[in-house]
Amino acid sequence: MAKAARTGTQRSASRSEAHHLNSETAVRPQKRSIAYLEQLIQDSQELHEQRQRASQESHPLATEHTVNYSPESTEATGTTIHDPAISEMPWFQSHDTWVLPVYISEAACISFASRLCQCLKDNESPTIHLPQWRYTDEATLASLLDESVQWPSLAHAQLLVKTALGHINPGFPMVLRKETLDVLCKIYQKGEFEKPALKCKYFALFAVGHVYSTPHDTFNASTLPGTSYFARAMSLLQIIPERPSMVHIESLLLLAYFCQFLNRFHSAYLLIGNALRLGLSLGLNYNVPQTQNLHPVEREHRVRIWWTIYVLDRYWGSKSGFPVQIHDDDVHVDLPSASASEAYSEQFSDAAYQTAGIKLAEITGHTTREIYSRKKSAESFLQREQKLLIQLKQWVQSLPEHIKLHPDKPNSKHTVLIHLQFSYCVILAIRPVLLNILIGHTNNDPGDSVEDVTPVLGALSEACIHAARYSLRLCQEEWISGSLAVYGYAFPAYIFSSALTLMISSMLPLGDPADIASVDIATEMLKILSVSDNLAAKDLYENLQRVRQCFDQHQAKSKTSSLSVNPNSLKPSTPGLQDQDESFHRSTLSFGPNAVPSVTEHLGPELTTEMALHNPLMQDFLTQSAMQIGFMNPPELLNDFDMAFGWSSDSLYTE
């Protein structure tokens, strides 16, 4: 009986325990659901707060900042100051749902143009959309393969090859000159017209020679001169050879070079990348030991081919904003030899041009990485800026005499081009500063004087504006002398980047309202090149028109408080420079036979490339130690440069 009672008690306890466990089991999901909901609410609140902070930081100069600069606290916490040159999110452009979006780098001039439009346009105005890039597409190239593209006569082939060799920049040596002409003659003598590697190389040379030798006013075809040769050469190109030859790499470089005429930047980037990786497989980035039995011409050719790959990689990167594909630490080869140029002058061009181009390409790569990339940096924006400008100053000072610009005598086109690239590097490095000042100026009282800008920022802005003025004048000189290439990309890019900078200058007290007249000249040059079927110029001309439309609308709304030049503003401190500027602005540019005299006559002997960095305030900035820069005007510089622009990429690039 007692046993039965104990058994009943145990059963009762078991049922009670089971009921308790079931109750716990039922409550646990409820608790987890409540915790999950609470977590969602918390996440939502944090996201809302982040968006509010991003909205408040969208225009840092328009809000009141309370952050104080402290280098020690920055190092201790390991935080990285956001670069003002880039937005929070990467940009993508897409016009068709079936086409993959195209990445748009902040370093590209087309991005800077959109930033400028966003700064000038009213909040209620329509969103700025960039037009589709104009380029020769694959369908057009494929249609040209149906045409009969044959080898020209020997005489014609020699003319085309010599034209190509004469116009390709000596800073980009791609082939051995004498050997290329000798092999061409052997091909015709032996009738070896069907060797794919040689046919690809020479058709690429024919394409370059054709585009440079065809007068633009007599060419009425639907495609650019030389495109048929280019399409045929591309069809012969073996992209992935297991054992690449120098002829194959030469062909890649020539085809990438021709892509500029077709406005095919992505193709050029891929071709250069392919050449670079094949060059790595051949060890072109290393010196060949003297124990290897190589002829001096072959040894030097390897060196120059490698550096051409290096320069073109950074050339396309600076214009399109793509990252460099090899770092300087991975390059262990000597620079081009001046003695080889003298001993084998029939094979090699002057090594000084390529050496200067290499140094400038290196600085260009540093600029895109230090100013426009999203990498973390322990240095402030101004510290990185100082390093780049010091490198540019040293580059100018190291130039040999025959590569410097001389206002008292004619300068070669290749010399002008390398100085235009220098000015472009200065603009590329500093224009985020100029745009940041414009944002502060437009968001505050338009009547604010230049005294509100710190001396360092004023000196940086002056250097950028001076480089733009000088760059545009050099382009005008080439235009007037008839040396400006009709179908190339370089000159339209230099004209466009200078025009954007001068448009900002015309709106700022530290600039000059008369700079808008130079913008009109730049617009006219791009318009004429666009009508001449320069594909790059068509894009840049349309974009410049869009920026000018935003500029005119902004000026119309601001005319009640016009931006007159302050007599106490920071003007270029070099004696006589302002008078030379005014003289230039009074001059007119004629596109007919009655063109004005050489533009360099207006520049005067004192106005040189070096003067972009010659301002005394700039000299003080360049000689400051990194620590001094860190403590220089802490609150202002932090607010001006070490806070992120908060523009949303969606406001500029939409599906």
Side-chain angles (χ1 to χ4, degrees):
M1 188 77 175
K3 184 177 181 181
R6 286 196 302 271
T7 302
T9 301
Q10 290 173 354
R11 289 174 179 173
S12 176
S14 298
R15 285 195 298 268
S16 176
E17 184 178 354
H19 178 72
H20 178 70
L21 290 174
N22 291 335
S23 299
E24 270 193 338
T25 305
V27 170
R28 284 175 186 170
Q30 295 178 4
K31 289 183 177 179
R32 285 198 295 268
S33 299
I34 293 173
Y36 179 70
L37 290 174
E38 290 175 348
Q39 184 64 41
L40 285 178
I41 293 173
Q42 182 180 354
D43 292 344
S44 178
Q45 289 175 344
E46 291 178 357
L47 180 61
H48 181 67
E49 292 172 357
Q50 290 176 1
R51 288 178 175 175
Q52 282 186 329
R53 288 195 298 269
S55 176
Q56 292 171 357
E57 294 174 358
S58 60
H59 296 287
L61 297 181
T63 58
E64 182 178 356
H65 298 285
T66 58
V67 184
N68 292 322
Y69 180 77
S70 175
E72 294 84 2
S73 62
T74 301
E75 289 184 4
T77 58
T79 56
T80 301
I81 297 172
H82 197 294
D83 199 319
I86 61 176
S87 63
E88 291 289 342
M89 299 295 292
W91 289 6
F92 288 88
Q93 177 186 15
S94 179
H95 293 283
D96 300 303
T97 56
W98 57 274
V99 176
L100 289 174
V102 177
Y103 171 67
I104 307 293
S105 170
E106 298 277 359
C109 286
I110 198 170
S111 299
F112 187 76
S114 294
R115 291 298 189 203
L116 180 53
C117 285
Q118 183 69 20
C119 173
L120 296 176
K121 79 185 188 78
D122 209 14
N123 291 333
E124 290 76 24
S125 60
T127 302
I128 302 297
H129 291 283
L130 291 177
Q132 180 85 17
W133 285 346
R134 292 177 176 85
Y135 62 94
T136 304
D137 57 20
E138 283 71 20
T140 302
L141 295 177
S143 67
L144 295 175
L145 294 177
D146 297 332
E147 301 178 3
S148 177
V149 183
Q150 302 295 331
W151 288 78
S153 66
L154 176 58
H156 190 192
Q158 289 174 326
L159 285 174
L160 290 175
V161 171
K162 289 179 180 179
T163 301
L165 297 178
H167 281 81
I168 292 176
N169 194 315
F172 309 151
M174 301 179 189
V175 297
L176 294 170
R177 295 187 296 183
K178 182 178 183 299
E179 179 183 296
T180 298
L181 290 169
D182 290 345
V183 172
L184 178 65
C185 291
K186 291 179 181 178
I187 290 174
Y188 279 83
Q189 290 172 0
K190 297 181 179 180
E192 297 177 341
F193 297 112
E194 298 306 321
K195 289 186 176 181
L198 290 176
K199 189 174 183 180
C200 178
K201 172 183 174 178
Y202 282 98
F203 273 40
L205 281 167
F206 295 160
V208 176
H210 197 195
V211 75
Y212 277 123
S213 60
T214 303
H216 67 90
D217 55 350
T218 62
F219 191 79
N220 299 317
S222 57
T223 57
L224 291 180
T227 307
S228 297
Y229 285 122
F230 171 83
R232 180 61 66 186
M234 285 291 292
S235 69
L236 296 168
L237 186 68
Q238 183 184 357
I239 298 298
I240 314 176
E242 180 60 26
R243 293 290 186 269
S245 65
M246 291 299 289
V247 171
H248 181 84
I249 295 179
E250 291 170 349
S251 299
L252 287 169
L253 296 177
L254 290 166
L255 292 171
Y257 183 83
F258 191 83
C259 282
Q260 67 169 312
F261 304 110
L262 306 179
N263 212 21
R264 293 177 60 91
F265 272 79
H266 296 140
S267 298
Y269 189 64
L270 292 172
L271 289 167
I272 290 299
N274 197 289
L276 184 136
R277 280 153 182 78
L278 292 176
L280 291 176
S281 70
L282 294 175
L284 297 184
N285 56 322
Y286 291 94
N287 290 317
V288 177
Q290 292 297 329
T291 55
Q292 293 287 332
N293 187 21
L294 271 183
H295 190 276
V297 171
E298 295 178 4
R299 187 181 298 273
E300 181 67 13
H301 186 44
R302 285 175 56 94
V303 171
R304 298 199 180 199
I305 283 290
W306 168 259
W307 285 118
T308 296
I309 295 172
Y310 177 93
V311 171
L312 289 179
D313 173 47
R314 280 147 177 78
Y315 173 85
W316 292 122
S318 68
K319 301 299 186 296
S320 305
F322 299 140
V324 299
Q325 301 179 76
I326 188 169
H327 296 295
D328 296 329
D329 295 339
D330 298 319
V331 181
H332 309 281
V333 67
D334 292 338
L335 291 172
S337 169
S339 59
S341 300
E342 297 173 358
Y344 304 98
S345 57
E346 73 282 0
Q347 298 280 20
F348 301 113
S349 58
D350 185 358
Y353 279 99
Q354 190 175 20
T355 301
I358 292 166
K359 295 294 186 182
L360 195 55
E362 180 182 354
I363 300 172
T364 303
H366 294 167
T367 302
T368 55
R369 186 177 70 253
E370 296 296 334
I371 303 298
Y372 295 94
S373 73
R374 299 176 183 276
K375 80 178 187 71
K376 294 183 178 181
S377 176
E379 296 178 315
S380 71
F381 180 85
L382 284 185
Q383 287 171 334
R384 286 173 279 153
E385 194 82 12
Q386 184 202 44
K387 284 185 177 180
L388 293 170
L389 295 178
I390 289 174
Q391 292 173 16
L392 287 167
K393 179 182 177 181
Q394 292 172 344
W395 179 87
V396 172
Q397 294 174 341
S398 67
L399 285 178
E401 190 64 26
H402 68 286
I403 299 183
K404 293 181 178 180
L405 285 176
H406 300 281
D408 56 341
K409 62 181 181 181
N411 297 287
S412 72
K413 180 179 68 174
H414 304 310
T415 299
V416 172
L417 275 172
I418 201 166
H419 285 270
L420 283 170
Q421 181 65 19
F422 165 82
S423 295
Y424 180 81
C425 288
V426 174
I427 295 170
L428 185 68
I430 306 179
R431 67 187 182 189
V433 177
L434 199 63
L435 184 60
N436 204 3
I437 292 176
L438 178 64
I439 292 171
H441 189 76
T442 55
N443 287 340
N444 294 304
D445 182 7
D448 288 346
S449 66
V450 76
E451 282 79 8
D452 297 326
V453 178
T454 61
V456 171
L457 305 191
L460 288 170
S461 300
E462 283 184 16
C464 187
I465 293 170
H466 174 85
R469 289 172 180 163
Y470 194 71
S471 180
L472 187 57
R473 295 178 195 184
L474 290 177
C475 290
Q476 292 174 84
E477 172 69 12
E478 293 301 289
W479 181 283
I480 294 171
S481 65
S483 301
L484 193 144
V486 174
Y487 295 114
Y489 174 81
F491 282 109
Y494 297 137
I495 293 170
F496 183 72
S497 63
S498 300
L500 295 178
T501 300
L502 294 181
M503 194 175 297
I504 297 177
S505 171
S506 70
M507 291 182 279
L508 293 177
L510 56 80
D512 189 345
D515 279 330
I516 198 64
S518 299
V519 177
D520 292 335
I521 294 175
T523 305
E524 188 67 19
M525 287 195 288
L526 285 178
K527 178 182 178 182
I528 296 174
L529 291 173
S530 176
V531 173
S532 301
D533 289 330
N534 184 310
L535 296 179
K538 287 179 183 290
D539 265 351
L540 298 178
Y541 172 64
E542 183 172 338
N543 275 278
L544 188 57
Q545 282 186 307
R546 288 170 179 263
V547 179
R548 184 58 185 268
Q549 183 181 9
C550 294
F551 170 86
D552 291 339
Q553 292 173 352
H554 174 79
Q555 293 297 86
K557 293 178 181 178
S558 308
K559 62 182 179 180
T560 54
S561 54
S562 60
L563 305 179
S564 59
V565 179
N566 192 316
N568 298 320
S569 62
L570 291 174
K571 287 296 177 185
S573 55
T574 305
L577 177 58
Q578 181 61 25
D579 295 337
Q580 293 163 2
D581 284 345
E582 292 175 356
S583 173
F584 168 73
H585 288 305
R586 288 193 298 268
S587 67
T588 58
L589 178 63
S590 171
F591 297 98
N594 299 320
V596 298
S598 171
V599 173
T600 52
E601 293 181 10
H602 298 286
L603 302 182
E606 295 181 352
L607 192 55
T608 62
T609 304
E610 295 92 325
M611 284 179 56
L613 306 176
H614 190 64
N615 186 297
L617 287 173
M618 175 64 73
Q619 295 300 311
D620 291 340
F621 172 67
L622 296 181
T623 56
Q624 295 291 326
S625 68
M627 183 63 69
Q628 288 174 314
I629 292 178
F631 286 101
M632 190 184 299
N633 294 325
E636 294 87 352
L637 295 187
L638 176 63
N639 292 340
D640 283 345
F641 295 107
D642 294 337
M643 300 293 289
F645 286 168
W647 279 313
S648 169
S649 58
D650 295 336
S651 64
L652 298 176
Y653 295 86
T654 58
E655 296 292 333

